[in-house]
Amino acid sequence: MVTLNDYLLVSGLLFSLGFAGVLLRRNILVIFMGLEMMLNAANLSLVAFSRFGVANGLPDYNGQMLVFFVITVAAAEVAVGLAIIVALYRAKQTTHVEDLTSLKF
Amino acid sequence: MSPTLFWIFAAITLGFGAATLINRNPVASALSLAVSFLGLAALFTSLSATFIGIVQVLVYAGAVMVLFLFIIMLLDLKAEQRRQVRLSALIGGVVIAGLFASQVVLVLRHFPKGNHEFPPLSLPHPDAVNIGLTLFGHYNLPFQVIGVLILVASIGVVVLSKRELN
């Protein structure tokens, strides 16, 4: 028997994996991948709650709409973020966050 | 969905997600993340959200990961692999993420409402029809706003990719 809590557990573990990636890795591209993982973990719990809140035999489609918008915004975010990373690499020749200290006081 | 299949796909999602963090090579990280997203799409399909599952495969495992691989191969990242991870960052990251994960487990243990099976569905139309009716009916304005957002993002990418900003 698969319950709602099983899906929420997988979602929480995926979120903490992405969070650990953002904190641990020093390569800005892998940090970006960790961000994507966190967004997807939130999507999983949204879809699980939408499937759990059944009314008249239909799932709660408001949750799935939010997932749709999150996926769209994430795609736009990836395009802009990777363009910024390419511009940064052109200026500094590195993608290592410890070499990018020009904003440090 | 049978519990065996659920746990197999959950293990694929979490295992390849962990491989994304552990791999030193960014190309291997990106490919592991693509497999992790495919496992997540299977989990979405198991929740009867077939449309979201297909969008996940098309947008994430397809477009976004190809963009990542393209950028990784465009920037020559071989010199990054030899760096050491600092010990304080390692300990801090593991402790904070572990605290978060244990807190999730603790909250879920005291959430008896979620310990039931999912109620049965009776869909009069396929999933995509219902999604379309909701998206173009109740969510029509947000849908058009998101179109403007994508237009602005694509213009922004073109401006950022130019060599000189005059």
Side-chain angles (χ1 to χ4, degrees):
Chain A
M1 182 177 92
V2 186
T3 61
L4 174 64
N5 275 354
D6 295 336
Y7 280 95
L8 294 183
L9 179 70
V10 172
S11 159
L13 290 181
L14 192 63
F15 188 92
S16 37
L17 273 178
F19 193 39
V22 171
L23 291 176
L24 288 178
R25 297 301 304 261
R26 303 283 80 150
N27 188 335
I28 202 163
L29 280 159
V30 183
I31 289 177
F32 217 53
M33 291 180 202
L35 286 178
E36 294 304 310
M37 234 193 274
M38 285 155 79
L39 283 172
N40 273 289
N43 281 351
L44 180 59
S45 59
L46 276 171
V47 173
F49 273 114
S50 137
R51 175 69 182 77
F52 195 68
V54 172
N56 301 325
L58 289 175
D60 190 347
Y61 276 109
N62 293 314
Q64 297 198 18
M65 283 299 104
L66 189 50
V67 171
F68 178 81
F69 288 123
V70 168
I71 289 178
T72 320
V73 173
E77 174 228 338
V78 165
V80 175
L82 287 177
I84 290 175
I85 289 175
V86 170
L88 204 59
Y89 188 82
R90 249 189 224 139
K92 301 265 182 184
Q93 311 298 322
T94 181
T95 59
H96 201 267
V97 283
E98 276 158 10
D99 298 338
L100 303 170
T101 52
S102 32
L103 285 182
K104 221 181 206 173
F105 182 63
Chain B
M1 185 189 219
S2 76
T4 327
L5 274 178
F6 167 77
W7 288 114
I8 287 173
F9 284 124
I12 287 176
T13 307
L14 293 176
F16 280 94
T20 309
L21 308 189
I22 293 166
N23 273 319
R24 306 295 299 160
N25 189 345
V27 178
S29 284
L31 289 176
S32 313
L33 193 61
V35 179
S36 170
F37 284 166
L38 284 178
L40 206 59
L43 290 181
F44 286 156
T45 315
S46 79
L47 287 165
S48 324
T50 35
F51 180 78
I52 297 291
I54 290 168
V55 166
Q56 174 86 5
V57 172
L58 285 180
V59 174
Y60 266 114
V64 168
M65 293 326 292
V66 167
L67 202 59
F68 262 109
L69 280 175
F70 179 72
I71 298 297
I72 290 170
M73 290 177 178
L74 183 73
L75 317 174
D76 197 17
L77 294 180
K78 280 182 198 118
E80 307 287 345
Q81 290 183 40
R82 289 182 226 108
R83 301 282 186 103
Q84 279 289 338
V85 177
R86 269 199 328 209
L87 196 65
S88 58
L90 187 73
I91 293 172
V94 168
V95 164
I96 293 175
L99 272 178
F100 182 81
S102 55
Q103 208 160 29
V104 166
V105 172
L106 208 66
V107 167
L108 287 182
R109 195 174 287 165
H110 298 284
F111 184 50
K113 268 190 174 178
N115 254 332
H116 303 298
E117 236 179 311
F118 289 97
L121 288 182
S122 60
L123 294 173
H125 310 294
D127 186 54
V129 174
N130 290 326
I131 292 261
L133 286 174
T134 321
L135 187 60
F136 294 116
H138 192 229
Y139 286 91
N140 203 345
L141 181 66
F143 183 68
Q144 296 184 32
V145 171
I146 215 93
V148 175
L149 174 79
I150 289 184
L151 176 68
V152 171
S154 49
I155 293 172
V157 169
V158 171
V159 171
L160 277 171
S161 307
K162 281 180 140 184
R163 276 198 186 275
E164 298 99 24
L165 290 176
N166 304 327

